[in-house]
Each structure stands twice: as C-alpha cells, then as structure tokens.
Amino acid sequence: MHALELEIIGAGKSFGDFRALDAVSLHIKAGTIHALLGENGAGKSTLVKGLVGYSPLDQGMIMADRREVDIRGARVPNALGIGMVYQHFTLAPNLSVAENLLLARGRMPWRIHWQQERAALQEFMQTMPFRLDLERAISGLSAGEKQKLEILKQLYLRRRFLILDEPTSVLTPQEADEVLGLMRELTRQQQLTVLMITHKFHEVTAYADDVTVLRKGCLVGSCAVADTTPAQLAHWMMGQARVETAAVARPPVPPQAAVGLQVDQLLVHNDRGVIAVNGLSLQVRHGEIVGLAGISGNGQKELVESLLGQRRRLSGSIRIDDADYHASRAEMRQQRVFALPEEPLRNACIASMSVAENMALRAFDVAPFKRRGWLSWCLDRSAMRRRAQALITAFNVKPPLPERAIGTLSGGNVQRAVLARELGDATAAAVNVLIVANPVFGLDFASVADIHARLLQARSLGAAVLLVSEDLDELLELSDRILVMTDGCIVHSTDAANADRTALGRWMAGHHEHCAPASQLETA
C-alpha cells in the first residue's frame, strides 16, 4: 500500500446564486501533510466534501495518482483509499469502541467471531500511540476520546489519503503531538497522504510540508511551508494582519473578592457507573477566570454536566454566592448562572428548532416571550424574533436569519448563537457565574478572538468564570488561576502568570501520588 497523490484542477461549486468554490486548484503530493487554511465560509468544507463524494463538485477535474477520477458518491473515494475525520463526530453512541471500529468496515458477515475480532483489534491498538478500551461505550467518551476514535477508525481501514478536519481541537498538547507525530511518521514512510484543515499556525509550521489558503471560495495562495510565515498566512486568510483578542481591561483579582462559585467534595459517576469526579473541591471568585486543565476523560465532562444540572451528583455541595445550588432551571435563572457547554449543538441547543427559538430557551416562559392570550398564556413569537435579530446582529451570527434551524449553522455560528443567548445581557447584574467548556472548539481566528473577548468582558463586569479547556494556550491566555484535573480531582493549582507549561503537562499526565487537599490547592 502506498500514499495517494491527488490533484484538483479548477474546482467549482455553487448553491443557487451563491458561489462557494470558484476555480480552485491544488496539488497534494504523495507522502506529505498538506495544510488547508481559511476562515469559516472560505470553501474548505465544500472542497473536501467534493473529494469524499458527499457533495460532488459542479466543475473541475480530480486526478488520483495522475489518473482522472469521477467522484460522485462514496464508492470511488473508498476504492481509492480516501477517508475523512470530520469536525463533528460520526460515531454510533450506543455501541462500544470495538463495535464502532467493525462498523466502519461497512459490509459485515452475518455472524461475527468476536474472539478473533477482538484479538485483531487489540493487535491494531498496540501499534497506535494512543489507545482506547475496546469495551467502552461511545456515550461515555469525552470529546477528545471521540476524536481519537475517529482517527483510529480511518487508520484501521488502512486509508491512503486522509482528510483531517481540525484534528487537535479537543486534544492536549501531548495528545496533539502524538496524533500529528503519527501522521508525519506515516507520511514519511509513504504509507499515507494527509490533507489537514486547521487554524493553528504552529501545527502548520511544525508538521505540514505544504500549505494552501482559501478565502471566500477562491484560492489565495499555495506554497511549501518553508517558503512562508505565519504573518503571510494570516494575511492570505483574512486580507489583513492576524486578528488578536480585543483588548479588555484586566485588573488583578482583589484578594477580598467574594467567592461566586464554590464546589466542595463533589462526587459524580460517569455513564458506566464509575466515579468520574472524585471528591473535587474548587472556588471561583467574582472578577476571576479559573482555568481547568486536564487530559480528556479525567472527569471534566461529568463535572460540567453536574454544574449544569445535566448529571446527578452523588454527594458534595455546590454553592453560588454562599447559597445552596442544585442546578435546576429556576435556580440557574434566579442565581444568574450561565453556560457555554462542550458540543453546544448537542448539550445546549435543539438542532431542529430555529435560532430564535433556541435563543429564547432560557426565558420562553417569562415576559416578554410569555404573554396572556385569549384563553391562556402563549408565546409571543414576534418578541422572540425581535430579540433574536438583535442578538444575531450583536454577536455576528451568520446567516442572520432568526427562522433558520440552528442545526444547519456552522460550528462557529452555533457557538456564537449560544453565547448570544447566555451573554446577550452581559451587564454586571446579569451574569453572576459563567461556566464554559472548550468554547472555541474548531473555530477560526475571528470567532476565537470574539468569544475570548466576551469571556474577558464578563470577567471585567464581575462574573465568576470557570473555563474548562483542553487547550493550554487558551488557558494561559485567559485565566487568572489554573487548576489541573486528573483522575476526577484537582491535583495542582498555580497562578496563570507563573505557570510552567512543562510542569502543567506533567500534572496533566498524572505524574503525582494522590489528589492534594483542596485547602492546600486554594493557597498554592
């Protein structure tokens, strides 16, 4: 098996009057990692969907190993060995890791010899730099673990050409190095060619051989990575210098600032009935961002779900401004607790409902959305639409259509819509506690800068912000303090200004003897 060479010549695609892709050409050499950059809406997804047959191109030619191929469905890409790891997961949630790997093969025998299959899967796992328990249910995996499984699926199918859509968005630096290091090793061995969609310049410079940039459906530039710079790439992508997080006043947290969120000895099970949050304690003061770091699968998901009332806690207490808090919808509204959870399309939205309806989910049963009708209370959909239109404009949600189903929006715009709902009235009196989990998953620079600026604004207005993220760069940039979570409890605490990346990585990897007492950590 050898790596596949792919050349795209004059690719074009239209959706009605909208030209999503216009005369785009690029050459992806066999045995290389080729980075594809561009803001949301640049045409990246349209191009790769054409390569995998999901949405055939209207115009242009595709050459595979210097032979023209007609890709109008999944059959030809599968035969060529072209596979894709999508930004959104394509896993069967009620099945196990082993079952998902076998399901990826497509055709299955009427009878599965599980002993033989498990032995083969275990042997396959031994060759991978990261491993998953074959018996674990997908519903119990974190986002980072699901991303790993998506990559494992394609490697298990022995693909010759792999398209990675934001492959490291939910991975820690160590995990990202493992994944991309494996990709580089396989390409150097001429076993694989990789087309990598990313927004992280350091991934391009560290791992890619060539880079292509799209903007508004057109090819802006393509060259060897060695022949360009991050500044040049940013200029190609945006037509200007790289967008940085908007400057927001950031005074130090007063030592006497009141505690907004306090968690004491929290105990929470995961979906398999195993303890995921193990006696965890933490505090977040008003006007402070506390960053929670950790390798995916160490209880962060269960912690956030418990704080948001999506998962029952076994024991322990949660207090908001020293008042008991059980994360009911009424309490969240009364105590002004807001959230941007991980995977908001699944955890914070109803995909089939409109943007306007989703933006009203927090307050659909109170004025101005609830009003008295002829016989009973009813929804004021005009008020919902007006409010949604104002939030869409303020938070730059695209397309600016309140009636559009939120599930049809891009990932970045879903994030913006949820953030608009949660922070639409971002005044000191409106946001008391803000709980955020991986808020910029797979987003472009402009979206990242906007969301980060809004988190800093909430902090400056006195909110107590808990930021759960698997991106150390994000935590170091935004946090006042950083806590490390391993095996379900807090094992390390440090001021962000004095944090050492290497030390944080060691704590995240579990290089400790036991969970430190909460009192010791709070004063560390």
Side-chain angles (χ1 to χ4, degrees), residues 12 62 69 76 106 162 164 228 231 242 246 252 295 305 317 381 431:
I62 299 174
V69 292
V76 172
L162 190 56
L164 303 178
T228 188
R242 176 176 176 176
I295 295 174
E305 289 175 351
S317 66
R381 294 192 175 275
V431 182

Side-chain angles (χ1 to χ4, degrees), residues 85 97 101 124-125 128-132 145-158 182:
V85 176
V97 170
L101 288 171
F124 163 74
M125 282 288 185
M128 296 294 104
F130 48 83
R131 299 166 192 172
L132 295 174
E145 290 169 321
K146 290 176 183 176
Q147 186 75 311
K148 289 180 180 181
L149 181 55
E150 291 284 13
I151 294 172
L152 287 171
K153 273 170 48 180
Q154 298 302 321
L155 297 178
Y156 176 67
L157 294 173
R158 298 177 61 83
L182 173 65

